[in-house]
C-alpha cells in the first residue's frame, strides 16, 4: 500500500508536469502514465533491499531502548498453564513466580504523565494493527502495536510493563 501511494503520487505529479509542458509547447500531452508506473515499479524493486535494510535499522533503533516485562494472569494450577509451560520453558525446566497484582510495585508502575512508560493488559485480536512509525500518528498507534497479539494467544491473559532505558 505504501509503495502504491508513492507510485500514485509520482504519476499525478509527473503527468501534471507533462500536461503543463505540452500546453506551453502547444502540443498534445503524451500518454505517459503507464510508462511512469513501469519506471516507478522497476526503481522500487531495485531499491527494495536497501529499503528493507532502512526499515530494519529504524525498527532496531526504536526497539533498542525498550524493555518489556510480560506477565500472565494464568495460575500455575490452571489447565492453560500447561500450554505456557510448553511455549515458554526449555524442556519444561523453567519455573513459575507468583506476583501479587495488588502490590505497590505494580501500582507504582502504572503510566504517569510525562513518564515514558506504560502498563496494561494485552489486547487480543484477529488482526494485528500496523504501525506507521512516527509523525502524525502519535503514541496511540505504537501502543496498539505493542499491546496487541493474535487471538490464538488469548489463553495467556498477558499483562505488559514497558520501560525505556534512554530516559
Amino acid at each position: 500500500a505504501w509503495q502504491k501511494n508513492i507510485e500514485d503520487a509520482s504519476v499525478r505529479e509527473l503527468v501534471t508536469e507533462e500536461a503543463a509542458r505540452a500546453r506551453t509547447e502547444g502540443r498534445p500531452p503524451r500518454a505517459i502514465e503507464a510508462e511512469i508506473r513501469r519506471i516507478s515499479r522497476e526503481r522500487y524493486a531495485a531499491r527494495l533491499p536497501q529499503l528493507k535494510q532502512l526499515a530494519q535499522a529504524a525498527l532496531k533503533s526504536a526497539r533498542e531502548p525498550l524493555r518489556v516485562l510480560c506477565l500472565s494472569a494464568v495460575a500455575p494450577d490452571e489447565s492453560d498453564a500447561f500450554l505456557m509451560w510448553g511455549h515458554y520453558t526449555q524442556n519444561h525446566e523453567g519455573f513459575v513466580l507468583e506476583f501479587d497484582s495488588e502490590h505497590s510495585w505494580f501500582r507504582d508502575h502504572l503510566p504517569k504523565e510525562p513518564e515514558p512508560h506504560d502498563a496494561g493488559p494485552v489486547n487480543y485480536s484477529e488482526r494485528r494493527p500496523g504501525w506507521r512509525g512516527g509523525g502524525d500518528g502519535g503514541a496511540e498507534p505504537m501502543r496498539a502495536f505493542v499491546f496487541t497479539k493474535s487471538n490464538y494467544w488469548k489463553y495467556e491473559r498477558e499483562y505488559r510493563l514497558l520501560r525505556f532505558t534512554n530516559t
Side-chain angles (χ1 to χ4, degrees):
W2 174 78
Q3 190 272 336
K4 173 107 173 62
N5 289 340
I6 289 175
E7 180 181 309
D8 290 345
S10 297
V11 166
R12 277 192 305 275
E13 183 180 332
L14 293 173
V15 167
T16 301
E17 287 176 14
E18 169 58 21
R21 263 196 309 275
R23 276 194 306 277
T24 314
E25 297 168 4
R27 62 175 174 80
R30 297 184 311 205
I32 61 170
E33 181 175 343
E35 183 66 8
I36 293 170
R37 288 191 184 280
R38 183 188 64 75
I39 292 168
S40 177
R41 290 177 187 149
E42 284 177 4
R43 289 182 178 171
Y44 179 77
R47 290 192 62 216
L48 195 55
Q50 179 187 9
L51 292 171
K52 283 183 178 179
Q53 284 180 337
L54 289 170
Q56 288 171 340
L59 183 59
K60 182 180 179 187
S61 70
R63 171 179 82 200
E64 188 69 30
L66 180 64
R67 299 298 179 260
V68 181
L69 174 62
C70 301
L71 305 169
S72 172
V74 175
D77 56 350
E78 290 183 42
S79 60
D80 286 338
F82 182 76
L83 285 170
M84 295 192 39
W85 279 104
H87 288 131
Y88 296 110
T89 62
Q90 182 74 23
N91 297 322
H92 296 270
E93 295 175 353
F95 59 92
V96 173
L97 299 174
E98 186 173 349
F99 294 95
D100 176 5
S101 60
E102 299 302 316
H103 190 276
S104 63
W105 188 87
F106 287 96
R107 284 195 312 275
D108 292 345
H109 283 80
L110 292 176
K112 297 179 191 98
E113 289 293 331
E115 294 180 17
H117 66 271
D118 203 348
V122 166
N123 300 311
Y124 299 95
S125 173
E126 289 182 20
R127 280 194 44 203
R128 183 138 171 86
W131 179 35
R132 288 171 178 57
D136 57 348
E140 197 55 36
M142 181 180 174
R143 188 180 197 290
F145 184 75
V146 174
F147 279 89
T148 303
K149 287 175 78 169
S150 168
N151 276 336
Y152 294 112
W153 300 100
K154 195 172 190 167
Y155 75 90
E156 293 180 339
R157 299 191 327 255
E158 187 175 335
Y159 188 90
R160 291 183 177 175
L161 295 168
L162 275 59
R163 298 294 175 273
F164 291 89
T165 61
N166 61 346
T167 58

